Amino acid sequence: MSTLDHLGAAEVRGVIEAYRVALAAHREPINRLNVYPVPDGDTGTNMSLTLGSVADEIAGVDDPDDLGQVCKAISKGSLMGARGNSGVILSQILRGMADVVAQAGGLDAPTMARALRSASDAAYQAVMRPVEGTILTVVRAAAESAEATLAADATVSLVDLAAATRAAAQAALEGTPELLPVLKEAGVVDAGGTGFVLLLDALLNVVDGREIPAPAVGEGTVRSDAALVEHTADDHAAHEGVGDLRYEVMYFLEAPDDTIPAFKDVWAGIGDSIVVVGGDGLWNCHIHTDDIGAAIEAALDAGRPRNIRVTDLMEQVEEERWVREAGAESTDDVPVVRDRVTTAVVAVAAGQGVKRIFHSLGAQGIVAGGQSMNPSTAELLDMVEGVNADQVVILPNNKNIIPVAEQVDALTDKVVRVIPTRGVAEGFAALMGYDPEAPVEDNAKEMAELASAVVAGEVTQAVRDSTSEVGPIAKGDFLGIARDGIKVVAATVAEAAVGLLEVLVADGHEIVTIIEGEGSTAADTRRITEWLAEHRASVSCEVHHGGQPLYPYLFGVE
């Protein structure tokens, strides 16, 4: 192919498509570079999903040969589709570049230098406490190289400028461990910066036909997931200065631009990893905080938040692994093909066994997710649109997903009702009252009553030292948790499970449903069922294999 010195609409679309494909190919290697798995999620996945939204937005433009429309689609798609901290920062980089390219009427060498400077400035401005040794450093190095190269030779070609810029970005990426000790300790470079370099590879691919590097065998495999978990708290403290913030809150904020400085000031006092990007009345907002309520109330003071997503960061590592390993190959994100019904059910679930049970109980659509990796409003909306009914009930099965699910009704012509199920056991119980031929309002009333009647409990393992009403908690202890808090602290799974059931199962209860997850064993399940037979002989016991991460046992008592 001939080398290009100017890119128009078609070529810009080609860069975005090449970048999308490259990020998809490098997603898992970039994920494995991430040394902050709890607070930041999977960088490769978040960047790849963000580019997928950009590509989808471009595919919907009226005139794909209109550069202005293409650049506007890049800007909108990246803002609306940004996932996680890395995705939000990437969106600002793409928006900064797209604005300059649109104004210039195309991309040549001088425009590229200005575009990279705009991208760097936008990225730094979006982050309230910029940290060097991250994607910010790599983007800034690329911008500085482009400006210096152009200053030295005003006639430099686009391909030579891009090649020099790519080399500078790579050098900056390789230097990130010297700026962040946690990267040096782990023996890796920055994950977000690695993803950005691929953008320059995609540009060179379009400009000069150069191949985009394929992921190296074993790339990014520097330590096990277990080792990553061990380093999480201290690593995050070194990265952002705050190591104990529990929740990630994200939403779109519809608010006048002049309210945003005050909004940022409020957020600065309640959290960290703060990124606020957007403009013209629409902002994509991301924060790590312990105070979910304050994070949302700040938005209400400024304007109107929507598409709210809350993730429990301390429980994210294992479930992210499950989503990567099980979700990527699962077909459960496709609605079950059934005859048309009056009311369909969409449920959120983690674990292949749990998904199968929801399908067997009548749910037409399953969305992967749970305590962390909360699905977005768009994912729930897609499933709602895909089921064969005009009325839909959503079972969130997690308290963090309830506010996200409640956004769906306003975004579709279908009638959607949310049953505020906070766990899998409540979701199963709700489906006992599901009638596919009944109107959604009747279903919602009956299903909500059944869900609320379930006494739910769960067993999990402590990830840090803490305290509770029943005594001190050491990292590694097993916890028996009811709706109103921790009831048991024990040294083993079985002890925690039996202790919790002793609290939950009372006279008048008839059925105990046991859902086995990762970490359960046949011996532990037998001990639980034998205890029930001896101490709660009036109840019948049902055991199901759910395969859910994080929780060896879930209980539903009716």
Side-chain angles (χ1 to χ4, degrees), residues 74-257:
I74 293 171
S75 183
K76 180 181 178 182
S78 62
L79 176 66
M80 300 299 290
R83 301 293 189 97
N85 201 1
S86 54
V88 174
I89 294 173
L90 177 61
S91 77
Q92 204 65 353
I93 291 169
L94 293 173
R95 284 161 56 82
M97 296 183 73
D99 287 348
V100 171
V101 173
Q103 292 172 10
L107 180 68
D108 56 14
T111 304
M112 179 178 173
R114 295 198 305 275
L116 286 170
R117 172 53 60 193
S118 175
S120 178
D121 291 347
Y124 272 90
Q125 290 167 8
V127 180
M128 290 195 66
R129 299 180 181 92
V131 176
E132 296 301 333
T134 64
I135 186 174
L136 299 176
T137 301
V138 180
V139 178
R140 177 170 52 79
E144 291 172 349
S145 172
E147 290 169 338
T149 302
L150 190 66
D153 180 4
T155 64
V156 65
S157 66
L158 177 58
V159 65
D160 288 342
L161 181 69
T165 299
R166 200 273 182 199
Q170 181 66 35
L173 176 65
E174 292 171 358
T176 54
E178 300 304 318
L179 299 174
L180 271 182
V182 65
L183 296 177
K184 190 170 186 178
E185 180 186 356
V188 298
V189 295
D190 179 67
T194 302
F196 170 74
V197 171
L198 285 173
L199 173 58
L200 301 176
D201 287 323
L203 176 62
L204 282 165
N205 174 261
V206 172
V207 170
D208 196 41
R210 302 188 188 187
E211 290 188 8
I212 296 174
V217 176
E219 181 181 348
T221 53
V222 296
R223 57 169 68 173
S224 67
D225 283 347
L228 286 172
V229 175
E230 288 295 321
H231 284 261
T232 293
D234 291 340
D235 289 354
H236 185 44
H239 183 52
E240 295 286 0
V242 178
D244 296 321
L245 299 176
R246 177 75 187 248
Y247 301 99
E248 177 185 62
V249 180
M250 291 187 69
Y251 50 72
F252 291 111
L253 173 59
E254 296 176 352
D257 293 2

Side-chain angles (χ1 to χ4, degrees), residues 395-415:
L395 301 176
N397 302 322
N398 184 278
K399 65 181 183 299
N400 292 337
I401 302 173
I402 293 171
V404 178
E406 288 174 342
Q407 305 292 316
V408 175
D409 182 55
L411 302 174
T412 177
D413 292 333
K414 296 187 177 184
V415 179

Side-chain angles (χ1 to χ4, degrees), residues 277-352:
V277 302
D280 296 326
L282 181 62
W283 302 83
N284 192 331
C285 307
H286 171 285
I287 187 174
H288 293 165
T289 183
D290 282 330
D291 195 337
I292 299 171
I296 297 174
E297 287 170 3
L300 296 173
D301 289 339
R304 175 178 177 267
R306 59 183 175 87
N307 294 25
I308 299 170
R309 287 189 289 160
V310 179
T311 300
D312 188 329
L313 301 174
M314 296 309 300
E315 296 179 344
Q316 188 169 339
V317 178
E318 282 300 314
E319 195 161 341
E320 284 184 342
R321 176 183 58 76
W322 173 84
V323 170
R324 291 198 303 271
E325 294 178 356
E329 298 180 359
S330 172
T331 59
D332 290 321
D333 59 349
V334 178
V336 173
V337 179
R338 291 178 173 157
D339 292 338
R340 186 168 183 80
V341 294
T342 303
T343 301
V345 174
V346 169
V348 179
Q352 294 301 320

Side-chain angles (χ1 to χ4, degrees), residues 27 32 50 61 99 102 147 151 166 172 196 231 242 287 339 360-361 367-368 371 382 430 439 471-472 493 553:
R27 182 180 63 188
R32 292 193 294 270
T50 301
V61 301
D99 287 348
E147 290 169 338
R166 200 273 182 199
F196 170 74
H231 284 261
V242 178
I287 187 174
D339 292 338
S360 70
L361 293 174
V367 178
Q371 184 64 23
D382 285 346
V493 172
Y553 291 99

Side-chain angles (χ1 to χ4, degrees), residues 451-491:
S452 64
V454 172
V455 177
E458 57 198 29
V459 176
T460 191
Q461 192 168 24
V463 297
R464 61 170 65 183
D465 296 342
S466 186
T467 59
S468 71
E469 293 182 358
V470 295
I473 299 170
K475 180 180 178 181
D477 283 345
F478 288 92
L479 310 177
I481 306 173
R483 280 176 178 162
D484 56 349
I486 298 171
K487 299 299 181 184
V488 180
V489 179

Side-chain angles (χ1 to χ4, degrees), residues 19 34 59 64 84 120 125 171 196 264 288 305 314 451 502 511 532 541:
Y19 189 30
N34 186 23
S120 178
Q125 290 167 8
F196 170 74
K264 289 182 177 180
H288 293 165
M314 296 309 300
E502 188 170 14
I511 301 172
L532 285 168
C541 185

